[in-house]
Amino acid sequence: MAANDLAHELARTLKESDEFKQFLKSKEKVMSDVNNHKMIREFQLRQWEIRDAQMLEAEISEEKQQELERLYSLVSLNPTAREYLEAEFEVSRMVNDIQKIIGEAIQDAMPIGFDELTL
């Protein structure tokens, strides 16, 4: 079977997985309630801001850290929001595992000197 055919089969398998189905179900529940949607969006925006700052090695203010912790507490107490984030994490974990497997398989196909780079 050609690599592209296998990739399409993998995509179908992912879409049919229990993890992905749970994610879609959880997402639908969050999207159906404006308050849950707003809470999740705000939490994720704060997470991304902090991740971006960390990647740029910028200092993260105590205020931003506390805001993220406050939002996390709210999300943790909300069963619908918590379920969504857990389902999102499981799908992300699954995709990351697949990327790692593929990356290891094609390691020898990297350009010369690529393995010497420190990221």
Side-chain angles (χ1 to χ4, degrees):
M1 188 178 280
N4 284 347
D5 293 336
L6 287 171
H8 287 291
E9 180 63 28
L10 175 59
R12 281 189 294 279
T13 301
L14 288 172
K15 283 184 174 184
E16 294 170 2
S17 71
D18 291 339
E19 293 89 348
F20 193 74
K21 288 176 182 177
Q22 180 61 43
F23 168 74
L24 291 178
K25 183 178 164 185
S26 299
K27 182 178 179 181
E28 187 176 315
K29 282 173 68 175
V30 165
M31 298 299 285
S32 71
D33 181 302
V34 71
N35 292 325
N36 284 338
H37 178 254
K38 185 177 177 181
M39 180 187 345
I40 291 289
R41 182 158 168 73
E42 187 69 24
F43 174 71
Q44 289 180 328
L45 286 172
R46 295 298 164 253
Q47 269 188 321
W48 292 331
E49 285 176 7
I50 288 177
R51 275 194 210 128
D52 284 348
Q54 288 171 333
M55 288 175 59
L56 297 172
E57 297 182 7
E59 190 171 323
I60 301 162
S61 71
E62 183 69 28
E63 181 181 312
K64 282 192 181 215
Q65 289 177 345
Q66 288 177 351
E67 175 68 11
L68 182 63
E69 289 173 17
R70 183 187 69 77
L71 288 169
Y72 180 75
S73 294
L74 289 174
V75 168
S76 295
L77 294 172
N78 182 310
T80 302
R82 186 176 63 243
E83 178 184 299
Y84 168 79
L85 289 177
E86 289 170 356
E88 181 185 61
F89 175 79
E90 287 303 317
V91 169
S92 293
R93 183 189 55 76
M94 187 170 47
V95 170
N96 287 336
D97 289 348
I98 291 166
Q99 288 175 331
K100 182 180 177 194
I101 292 165
I102 293 170
E104 289 171 355
I106 63 167
Q107 184 174 343
D108 293 334
M110 294 296 130
I112 294 172
F114 185 83
D115 58 339
E116 297 168 6
L117 294 176
T118 55
L119 302 175

